[in-house]
């Protein structure tokens, strides 16, 4: 109906009486406002492009330098290098106007020189990574080079308030490690996983690769690292994500949960409306580049490249490879409720709708009696299907007519909202409720999430929310940042009745049903539904809420909380499987331009030695503590190396891609890239911004999120260190594997954390700190 209404918004006819022009004021007004909004965004992008190009200098400083140049010239003084007079001789005459022009051009040259000097100075400074390796232990001293570096970086990075992309031109490129260094690190990482015979064989393969084909492949990577902005990211997106043919559901998409200890409102429409409004505010901050970039320790910027595709983005299936489509603008979202799809406008009368107006629209959908047409209820199962099969169905049945129009409406929407017809529940006394909450967000029923979309916001009937996100366009920290922004302001969005605050200024436009003709593809929809149902039935999820202690106790042990938890996972896995396994932990490389992730390998020689000591009753407690501290130090070094571009796996991956392009077979790379990650882990970032005040609102924290298992016989573990005494673990595994069990592994994690705590408590008891004198502060 909306498309038909737009089609007749303007008509022109010639009659016997002259010209006959008919037009619809309302629709033409929508067209006008859309154009105005588009031009405003273009001007804003142009302005921000100039601001980012000269950062960290100010644009306004050009006028100051111009004033100085004019003052010097007309006072009889020469500008630096006599620039004004040198420029003046090339101008048509020596009149006042041309002298002013020469002064301005001279000022522009000086200003640009200062801008680029400051910019490249900052870029050179950001190449220094020595600060990453400085000890953070209490009482440790920072080296003099790092202290000087901090002082200069702090001055440059605080000289001007940055926009979201202001630091992009100053971020260094990801460095390319040498083949020799990568081989050394790789062999060390697999030593605890191989017996002597297999390790000797792997040493031989690595040495042979390094001395032969590795040199040739490395030269191609060197050329790519010089030519491209990031030698990994484009290939990583293409070959790890877009060329994958497995369903996105469970295998790729991840989820995030609500702040489960808070009940802001039990009204589904109100919560959905307020979350939509906050998401649109976040989108506006990205579009206007007013969102502050994430700064490590308040001065070291992280790459913001991934934020560009947060909204208005979809992954479109292809027969061999998918593609990411990002729309510059979108004035609507798509709402999915009881199998029906609705287009809901978010702009009206020249502005974004307020939460109270959005609530009116959502209530109209919830109160409606619409029923899905044949095939519509299970339509989204196609997005959870094999990518090649979905691409074939899309090309055959969704390339014209109403199906093409409606599909484009979904793919061009800002995001998708799913109004579920069941509650999202949580109760500490009933852990299965939180497990079900996570399952609903990870995969739902297989056809109430549009898995191709950048993200789907899911709202339960009791007002709790979560999201399911497509992984190709960005990594979890970007969604974590967005989710923190929402929770920080969502607290204040409701009145005493649980509704959104405020009164609608007008009757907002009614959401319109998307129309479909699905009879020709009912067989494909049914097959996709069967496949996705089988897929989700093969996955089990357990969310462990660990409240015995958190990072507060870990800090008392003078150990990094992340390293502490990774050691607990190593111990838990060894007890669960009876062996060590290749372990994946995701770290970021966003200290570099267009950086995404790198792999940390927590299973090390030191960690395996400590795990064996924990299983050996003849090992003393002091020996176990010492061995764990060594294992944590090694883990921290591996994490630091990964963040600084000295990782193992992305380099090996790119070498493998080059070998495939050259059609050169490498036994070493084939074996390395085929090794299964039976324990895949990731820490959900928390506290990236000061948006959430946990001292004021201690319960305003998400339970984190999770993902499906990477290996059929392995575990996927995501965790969030939510507070001083709270940790959430999201554990997934395949039900078809007899060797894995999420409930058993959760018990092993709890036991491992308990045993480590007992170990350190005994150590502190055996080695108490010397007491401080109350009179002179010295040890007594």
């Amino acid at each position: 109906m909306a498309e038909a209404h737009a089609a007749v918004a303007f008509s022109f006819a010639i009659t016997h009486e002259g010209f006959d022009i008919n037009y619809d004021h309302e629709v033409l007004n929508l067209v006008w406002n859309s154009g105005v909004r588009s031009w405003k965004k273009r001007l804003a992008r142009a302005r921000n492009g100039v601001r980012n190009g000269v950062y960290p200098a100010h644009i306004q400083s050009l006028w100051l330098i111009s004033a100085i140049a004019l003052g010097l010239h007309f006072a009889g003084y020469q500008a630096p290098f006599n620039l004004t007079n040198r420029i003046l001789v090339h101008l048509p005459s020596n009149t006042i106007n041309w002298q002013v022009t020469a002064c301005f051009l001279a000022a522009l040259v000086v200003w640009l020189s200062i801008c680029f000097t400051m910019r490249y100075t900052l870029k050179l400074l950001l190449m220094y990574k020595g600060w990453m390796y400085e000890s953070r232990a209490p009482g440790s001293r920072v080296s003099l080079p790092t202290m000087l570096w901090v002082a200069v970086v702090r001055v440059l990075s605080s000289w001007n308030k940055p926009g979201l992309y202001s630091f992009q031109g100053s971020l260094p490129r990801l460095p390319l490690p040498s083949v020799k260094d990568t081989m050394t690190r790789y062999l060390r990482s697999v030593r605890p996983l191989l017996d002597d015979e297999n390790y000797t064989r792997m040493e031989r393969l690595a040495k042979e690769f390094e001395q032969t084909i590795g040199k040739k492949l490395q030269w191609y990577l060197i050329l790519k690292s010089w030519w491209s902005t990031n030698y990994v990211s484009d290939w990583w997106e293409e070959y790890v994500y877009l060329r994958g043919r497995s369903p996105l559901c469970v295998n790729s998409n991840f989820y995030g949960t609500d702040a489960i200890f808070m009940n802001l409102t039990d009204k589904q429409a109100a919560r959905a409306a307020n979350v939509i409004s906050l998401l649109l505010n976040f989108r506006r901050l990205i579009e206007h580049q007013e969102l502050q970039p994430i700064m490590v320790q308040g001065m070291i910027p992280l790459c913001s490249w991934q934020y560009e595709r947060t909204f208005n983005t979809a992954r479109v299936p292809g027969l061999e490879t998918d593609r990411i489509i990002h729309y510059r603008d979108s004035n609507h979202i798509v709402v999915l409720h009881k199998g029906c799809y609705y287009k809901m406008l978010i702009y009206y009368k020249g502005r974004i709708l307020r939460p109270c107006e959005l609530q009116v629209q959502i209530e109209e959908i919830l109160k409606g009696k619409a029923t899905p047409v044949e095939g519509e209820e299970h339509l989204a199962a196609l997005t959870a299907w094999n990518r090649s099969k979905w691409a074939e169905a899309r090309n055959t049945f969704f390339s014209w007519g109403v199906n093409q129009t409606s599909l484009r409406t979904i793919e061009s929407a800002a995001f998708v909202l799913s109004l579920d017809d069941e509650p999202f529940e949580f109760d500490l006394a009933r852990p299965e409720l939180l497990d079900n909450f996570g399952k609903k967000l990870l995969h739902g029923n297989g056809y109430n999430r549009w898995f191709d979309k950048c993200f789907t916001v899911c709202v339960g009937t009791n007002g709790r929310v979560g999201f399911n996100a497509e992984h190709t366009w960005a990594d979890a920290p970007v969604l974590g940042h967005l989710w923190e922004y929402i929770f920080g302001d969502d607290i204040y969005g409701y009145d005493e009745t649980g509704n959104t605050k405020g009164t609608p200024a007008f009757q907002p436009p009614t959401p319109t049903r998307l129309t479909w003709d699905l009879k020709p593809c009912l067989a494909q929809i049914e097959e996709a539904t069967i496949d996705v149902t089988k897929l989700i039935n093969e996955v089990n999820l357990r969310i462990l809420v660990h409240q015995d202690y958190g990072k507060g106790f870990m800090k008392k042990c003078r150990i990094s909380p992340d390293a502490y938890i990774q050691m607990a996972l190593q111990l838990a896995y060894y007890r669960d499987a009876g062996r060590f396994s290749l372990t994946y932990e995701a770290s970021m490389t966003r200290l570099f331009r267009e950086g995404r992730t790198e792999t940390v390998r927590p299973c090390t020689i030191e960690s395996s030695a400590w795990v064996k000591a924990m299983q050996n009753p003849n090992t003393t407690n002091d020996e176990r503590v010492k061995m764990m501290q060594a294992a944590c130090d090694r883990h921290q070094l591996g994490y630091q190396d990964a963040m600084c571009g000295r990782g193992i796996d992305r380099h090996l991956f790119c070498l493998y891609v080059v070998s495939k392009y050259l059609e050169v077979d490498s036994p070493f790379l084939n074996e390395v890239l085929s090794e299964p990650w039976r324990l895949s882990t990731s820490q959900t970032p928390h506290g990236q911004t000061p948006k959430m005040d946990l001292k004021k609102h201690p319960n305003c924290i998400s339970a984190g999120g999770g993902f499906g298992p990477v290996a059929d016989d392995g575990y996927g573990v995501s965790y969030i260190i939510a507070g001083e005494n709270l940790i959430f673990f999201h554990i997934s595994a395949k039900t078809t594997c007899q060797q894995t069990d999420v409930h058993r592994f959760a018990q092993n994690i709890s036991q491992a954390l308990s045993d480590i705590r007992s170990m350190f408590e005994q150590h502190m008891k055996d080695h108490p700190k010397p007491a401080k004198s109350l009179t002179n502060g010295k040890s007594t």
Side-chain angles (χ1 to χ4, degrees), residues 249-250 253-258 260 420 422-426 431-445 449 451 458 464-468 536 539-544 703-708 729-732:
C249 176
V250 174
N253 286 27
F254 60 95
Y255 70 90
T257 62
D258 201 354
I260 58 175
D420 287 11
E422 56 184 336
F424 297 163
E425 298 176 295
F426 168 69
E432 70 276 4
L433 294 179
L434 187 56
D435 297 345
N436 291 330
F437 191 171
K439 291 176 185 177
K440 291 171 185 175
L441 298 176
L442 176 62
H443 49 64
N445 59 18
R449 311 281 180 260
F451 295 100
C458 314
R464 290 197 181 277
V465 300
F467 70 81
N468 179 287
I536 64 180
V539 178
N540 205 353
L541 181 70
R542 173 79 175 92
I543 302 179
L544 172 65
F707 49 87
F729 293 89
H730 300 248
I731 308 161
S732 64

Side-chain angles (χ1 to χ4, degrees), residues 455-656:
F455 61 88
T456 299
V457 177
C458 314
V459 188
T461 54
N462 58 348
R464 290 197 181 277
V465 300
F467 70 81
N468 179 287
E470 204 281 314
H471 208 331
T472 308
W473 62 271
D475 300 310
V478 175
L479 267 297
H481 184 185
L482 180 149
W483 219 231
E484 283 187 21
Y485 176 87
I486 289 175
F487 289 152
D489 287 337
D490 198 22
I491 303 172
Y492 311 103
Y494 310 94
D495 59 23
E496 60 278 1
T497 65
N499 289 301
T500 53
K501 295 180 178 178
T503 303
F506 47 76
Q507 179 64 32
T510 301
T512 56
R513 280 284 304 276
L514 300 187
T515 56
W516 306 95
D517 178 16
L518 302 176
K519 289 183 179 180
C521 58
L522 289 178
Q524 286 76 9
I525 294 175
E526 182 180 0
E527 183 182 348
T529 303
I530 293 171
D531 288 351
V532 71
T533 301
K534 180 181 177 181
L535 175 64
I536 64 180
N537 287 338
E538 290 178 349
V539 178
N540 205 353
L541 181 70
R542 173 79 175 92
I543 302 179
L544 172 65
V545 184
H546 184 269
Q547 290 184 294
D548 293 343
Y549 67 95
K551 65 180 179 181
F553 177 79
M554 299 172 189
K555 290 178 180 178
K556 290 181 181 179
C557 301
R558 296 189 176 184
I559 289 180
S560 159
D562 180 71
Y564 188 107
I565 292 176
Q566 284 293 335
M567 294 306 107
L569 292 175
Q570 288 298 307
L571 179 57
Y573 185 84
Y574 187 82
R575 289 173 173 174
D576 185 88
R579 67 177 187 272
F580 296 107
S581 178
L582 192 62
T583 306
Y584 181 106
E585 182 189 4
S587 74
M588 66 171 184
T589 55
R590 287 172 60 198
L591 292 169
F592 303 95
R593 191 169 182 180
E594 294 186 12
R596 290 200 62 163
T597 61
E598 177 58 277
T599 305
V600 182
R601 296 183 170 216
C603 185
T604 62
I605 297 172
E606 291 79 6
S607 68
S608 60
W610 169 75
V611 168
K612 291 178 180 178
M614 291 294 289
Q615 298 297 97
N616 184 359
N618 297 321
T619 308
T620 66
N621 194 70
D622 284 353
E623 289 174 332
R624 290 174 176 174
V625 170
K626 186 176 180 180
M627 294 172 78
M628 179 167 174
Q629 289 172 337
C632 290
D633 289 342
R634 168 54 62 177
H635 180 270
Q636 279 297 96
L637 179 61
Y639 205 102
Q640 291 160 346
D641 283 343
M643 289 186 66
C644 293
R646 299 171 185 166
I648 301 168
D649 292 277
R650 298 301 177 268
H651 186 201
L652 292 175
F653 163 76
C654 288
L655 290 169
Y656 180 77

Side-chain angles (χ1 to χ4, degrees), residues 215-410:
K215 295 180 180 179
K216 180 179 181 181
L217 302 181
Q218 181 74 355
W219 273 111
Y220 283 95
L221 281 189
I222 290 173
L223 290 174
K224 188 174 190 291
S225 68
W226 289 347
W227 180 252
S228 60
T229 307
N230 188 298
Y231 80 93
V232 175
S233 293
D234 57 340
W235 283 355
W236 186 254
E237 181 175 298
E238 174 71 18
Y239 294 105
V240 173
Y241 293 112
L242 295 177
R243 285 187 179 268
R245 300 292 86 194
S246 298
L248 300 183
C249 176
V250 174
N251 297 309
S252 178
N253 286 27
F254 60 95
Y255 70 90
T257 62
D258 201 354
I260 58 175
F261 292 107
M262 297 183 67
N263 290 300
L264 299 175
T265 178
D266 60 356
K267 298 184 184 300
Q268 186 178 23
R271 188 75 193 280
N274 208 50
V275 168
I276 292 171
S277 179
L278 292 170
L279 287 170
L280 296 177
N281 287 338
F282 194 85
R283 185 178 75 159
R284 185 187 61 79
L285 292 176
I286 292 175
E287 291 173 342
H288 291 245
Q289 299 187 29
E290 296 172 0
L291 186 69
Q292 292 296 299
I294 302 295
M295 307 283 283
V296 178
Q297 297 181 0
M299 64 176 184
I300 305 157
L302 298 184
C303 178
S304 300
W305 161 67
Q306 297 180 47
Y307 286 83
E308 182 179 355
R309 301 184 293 186
T310 307
F311 297 89
N312 324 332
T313 301
R315 174 169 166 170
V316 175
L319 294 175
E320 294 183 359
T321 181
D322 294 356
R323 56 196 174 98
I324 290 288
I325 295 182
H326 172 69
Y327 296 85
R328 282 284 190 175
D329 190 19
S330 178
N331 66 350
H332 71 278
I333 66 170
V334 166
V335 181
L336 174 57
H337 177 58
K338 291 187 176 181
C340 299
Y341 292 81
Y342 300 84
K343 178 181 179 180
M344 189 173 117
L345 293 179
I346 52 181
Y347 283 94
Y348 191 65
K349 295 192 175 180
R351 65 168 175 82
I352 297 178
L353 295 178
R354 298 189 183 99
C356 57
E357 295 158 351
L358 293 168
Q359 184 177 345
V360 172
Q361 292 179 298
I362 295 170
E363 287 174 344
E364 288 187 40
I365 294 175
L366 292 174
K367 293 175 183 178
K369 303 297 183 181
T371 57
V373 300
E374 189 177 8
E376 185 180 12
E377 182 179 3
H378 294 173
L379 176 63
L382 293 173
T383 67
W385 205 14
N386 174 277
R387 301 305 292 173
S388 296
K389 291 183 178 180
W390 169 211
E392 186 176 351
R394 188 179 190 274
N395 295 338
T396 305
F397 305 108
F398 295 86
S399 297
W400 66 84
V402 294
N403 288 347
Q404 182 189 43
T405 302
S406 295
L407 181 61
R408 180 179 173 82
T409 300
I410 295 176

